[in-house]
Amino acid sequence: MSETSYRRRAGLSRRGRLLLLLALALLVVNAVVLFLLLRETGAPARTLVVPEGWRASQVYAAVDKGLDLPPGTTKAAAAKAHLKLPAEAKGNPEGYLYPATYPIADDTTPGGLLAYMVETANKQFGQDRTAVHARHGRLTAYQMVTIAGIVQAEAETPADMGKVARVIRNRLASGMPLQMDSTLNYALNRSTLTTTAAETRTDSPYNTYQHKGLPPTPIGNPGRQAMSAALNPPPGNWLYFVTVAPGDTRFTDSYAQQELNVAEFNENQQKAAKAG
């Protein structure tokens, strides 16, 4: 049996209550003064959230809206911002607009905000570390970001990211086309779970059903977990994967098993369509 002790609540004296009220009043006054100072000095009062996997086009639109600018302003600014990108990027910041929450103020410019995103990406990715891992895989640092972008788009959960990255690596090593719906979706400027046979014949360098190797640029802006998965995928012989149902992504090195998994995916899609 445990013992319970009781303490008598000590009450404040009249003088103590007056001091407490005075302290609270001073806190309120200080808060008001701080708010006025922040407003007068143009300190950040708003934020812009860039989710993981967003494409550059989505970031541009969000910046335009966040800064109350006409549509297309940020896209035009990106070409003139002299962003610190790899030479392979050819001035295209896709993949380097790092997902995060950014402060914005009345004097924030689209070019300055994009530069901050790219600087954040370079710091988070750790270009030296990325380059070392890339050399081990006979890839460039820019290609590692491209892989991370595909991983971000294809993996249903963070736990699947490493396996997706391994599938990409295995296909590149064996000379197989990646056949990733996410890259085709990028070419068609959409996001969908299903791809038709006709769509796989789309004429685009981002169509990895028709073109072997990686697409010419990243297809979105990956976060830290996707980049980590691209740099350090787990060992495995997987060549195929499909998310049969939410939370159920299956990886295999057998084409026959993949066909069975895809058939189950199609069946689940049909059931969902009928139920909807």
Side-chain angles (χ1 to χ4, degrees):
M1 186 175 66
S2 62
E3 296 182 356
T4 303
S5 61
Y6 297 89
R7 292 186 180 180
R8 181 174 61 86
R9 289 176 55 185
L12 289 174
S13 65
R14 181 181 179 185
R15 182 170 180 272
R17 287 195 296 271
L18 290 174
L19 289 174
L20 179 60
L21 290 173
L22 178 60
L24 290 174
L26 287 174
L27 285 174
V28 171
V29 171
N30 288 338
V32 172
V33 171
L34 179 59
F35 172 80
L36 292 174
L37 286 173
L38 288 173
R39 187 174 65 179
E40 290 176 1
T41 57
R46 309 188 307 277
T47 58
L48 175 72
V49 178
V50 177
E52 295 177 345
W54 260 17
R55 298 167 184 167
S57 59
Q58 293 172 291
V59 178
Y60 296 155
V63 173
D64 285 342
K65 183 177 180 180
L67 299 183
D68 195 23
L69 298 170
T73 301
T74 302
K75 182 178 180 180
K80 305 174 183 177
H82 303 292
L83 304 174
K84 295 181 179 179
L85 297 165
E88 292 169 273
K90 299 178 181 178
N92 180 358
E94 189 74 89
Y96 289 83
L97 302 176
Y98 193 76
T101 299
Y102 294 95
I104 57 176
D106 292 340
D107 59 351
T108 300
T109 65
L113 188 53
L114 293 179
Y116 188 22
M117 292 179 186
V118 172
E119 180 182 353
T120 304
N122 287 329
K123 289 179 179 179
Q124 291 294 329
F125 293 159
Q127 292 304 306
D128 292 340
R129 177 174 60 90
T130 300
V132 169
H133 282 275
R135 285 197 298 271
H136 288 168
R138 297 181 181 180
L139 298 165
T140 67
Y142 187 67
Q143 287 174 320
M144 295 303 301
V145 177
T146 302
I147 291 175
I150 298 174
V151 168
Q152 187 77 66
E154 290 281 348
E156 190 195 25
T157 66
D160 291 335
M161 287 182 172
K163 289 184 176 181
V164 171
R166 176 52 65 190
V167 169
I168 295 171
R169 293 286 199 98
N170 288 346
R171 286 195 165 218
L172 291 174
S174 65
M176 292 178 64
L178 295 183
Q179 296 181 322
M180 297 287 172
D181 289 350
S182 57
T183 65
L184 185 55
N185 283 340
Y186 187 80
L188 298 173
N189 192 28
R190 67 177 191 185
S191 296
T192 184
L193 293 175
T194 58
T195 298
T196 67
E199 288 168 343
T200 63
R201 295 189 289 273
T202 299
D203 182 17
S204 169
Y206 290 91
N207 183 358
T208 54
Y209 283 89
Q210 296 291 327
H211 300 279
K212 292 183 179 180
L214 292 169
T217 73
I219 61 169
N221 295 281
R224 184 183 298 179
Q225 287 179 306
M227 191 64 186
S228 178
L231 294 173
N232 300 287
N237 296 323
W238 311 294
L239 290 170
Y240 312 94
F241 68 91
V242 61
T243 299
V244 174
D248 184 8
T249 299
R250 300 178 190 175
F251 296 81
T252 181
D253 61 353
S254 165
Y255 182 68
Q257 183 60 53
Q258 174 70 357
E259 286 189 311
L260 293 175
N261 294 339
V262 170
E264 187 172 341
F265 163 78
N266 290 331
E267 183 180 351
N268 289 338
Q269 290 294 105
Q270 292 172 0
K271 289 179 180 178
K274 290 179 180 178

